[in-house]
Amino acid sequence: MTDFCNSQTGFVSVSTTSNRGFTPEEVAERCLDKIISVSSDANPVIRDQALAYRNNIKALIVFYMKEAIKSDRTTIFNALIEAGQKDLAEAVRRL
Amino acid sequence: MAFTGNYMCTSFKQQLLQAKHDFTASSGDTFKLAMYTNSATFDASTTDYTATNEVSGTGYSAGGGTLTNVTPTTSGTTALTDFADLTFSSATITARGALIYNTTTGAGTGTTDTVLVLDFGSDQSSSAGDFTITFPTADASNAIIRIA
């Protein structure tokens, strides 16, 4: 007997911004969707635990994402200083 | 003249059986995602990337962006693969859909063999911002490419 073989395509989603980039919170939501998904018809006790876990993980991701942004700005600040762009460097530091 | 849904290209299915596509991370083929206006007409019979009706604007270059492969895996009796999300930064563009195509099919170079047609459902725009394509959860029910 030969099993029926079916090839399928998933659905992408698109997120856009205008005159800004994504915030750490917005990026964290996308990240969380990759880490954990909670079925709406899951057992309520398990669903609540999963949602609580998801919120805790989100806070952690947002915190370290902000740390990464601050650290990257330090790198950019120093690169601009080395390039003689003191005013630009100061503007980046103040972001 | 419009996008009419998502399609896995028939030529891609044939080429899969000819072992011409490798989705392995790092060592696999180079896949790209190009975006189009709703004037484009693509379906399962689409075989190659085209620049006709491709979007243009700040932050986007013809040919689109290079995707990061995720090594195929299995879940139950389903085989699946995924790509990392793709962002066009500081972009001012409007797109209705996209093509994923392989630029190194069969270990070649500069190939244009289409894999998937992706319909965004409506025009999506960014203005001096980020334009991000998020791939679905890589599981047996949602992954971008699945063989069950």
Side-chain angles (χ1 to χ4, degrees):
Chain A
M1 187 181 85
T2 302
D3 286 338
F4 175 69
C5 183
N6 186 16
S7 57
Q8 295 170 316
T9 304
F11 293 87
V12 299
S13 60
V14 176
S15 309
T16 62
T17 61
S18 291
N19 302 309
R20 67 176 179 88
F22 289 108
T23 65
E25 287 79 7
E26 289 167 338
V27 177
E29 279 295 335
R30 276 175 34 222
C31 180
L32 280 169
D33 289 340
K34 299 277 185 182
I35 296 172
I36 180 171
S37 60
V38 184
S39 172
S40 59
D41 57 2
N43 179 298
V45 175
I46 295 173
R47 188 181 63 220
D48 289 348
Q49 285 182 338
L51 289 173
Y53 173 73
R54 182 186 167 98
N55 285 335
N56 288 340
I57 293 293
K58 180 180 180 180
L60 198 64
I61 292 171
V62 168
F63 174 80
Y64 281 101
M65 211 171 280
K66 287 179 177 175
E67 289 290 291
I69 290 169
K70 281 195 286 188
S71 185
D72 191 53
R73 282 188 185 151
T74 299
T75 301
I76 293 170
F77 172 83
N78 282 286
L80 290 170
I81 289 289
E82 284 181 20
Q85 303 290 334
K86 189 178 176 184
D87 291 344
L88 202 52
E90 187 58 23
V92 168
R93 192 185 67 79
R94 290 173 184 273
L95 281 175
Chain B
M1 295 281 283
F3 276 85
T4 56
N6 289 359
Y7 298 96
M8 185 177 291
C9 298
T10 306
S11 56
F12 167 68
K13 296 175 188 175
Q14 179 186 23
Q15 290 161 356
L16 269 184
L17 297 176
Q18 296 168 331
K20 290 186 175 178
H21 296 273
D22 183 354
F23 290 89
T24 307
S26 303
S27 62
D29 291 343
T30 300
F31 296 88
K32 297 189 76 171
L33 183 147
M35 297 197 293
Y36 295 86
T37 68
N38 204 26
S39 296
T41 305
F42 298 128
D43 56 23
S45 68
T46 301
T47 58
D48 289 276
Y49 157 80
T50 175
T52 303
N53 295 312
E54 188 172 7
V55 302
S56 62
T58 304
Y60 183 88
S61 301
T66 301
L67 292 164
T68 301
N69 303 355
V70 175
T71 299
T73 186
T74 58
S75 176
T77 57
T78 300
L80 57 100
T81 196
D82 187 22
F83 295 107
D85 295 349
L86 177 65
T87 295
F88 296 91
S89 300
S90 303
T92 299
I93 44 180
T94 296
R96 167 57 197 257
L99 283 181
I100 291 178
Y101 64 102
N102 190 344
T103 65
T104 57
T105 308
T109 57
T111 60
T112 57
D113 300 288
T114 50
V115 175
L116 301 176
V117 176
L118 301 174
D119 185 348
F120 296 160
S122 61
D123 279 350
Q124 304 290 324
S125 300
S126 66
S127 176
D130 291 339
F131 192 111
T132 296
I133 294 102
T134 303
F135 285 91
T137 304
D139 61 26
S141 303
N142 300 289
I144 190 68
I145 298 175
R146 284 166 278 142
I147 298 176

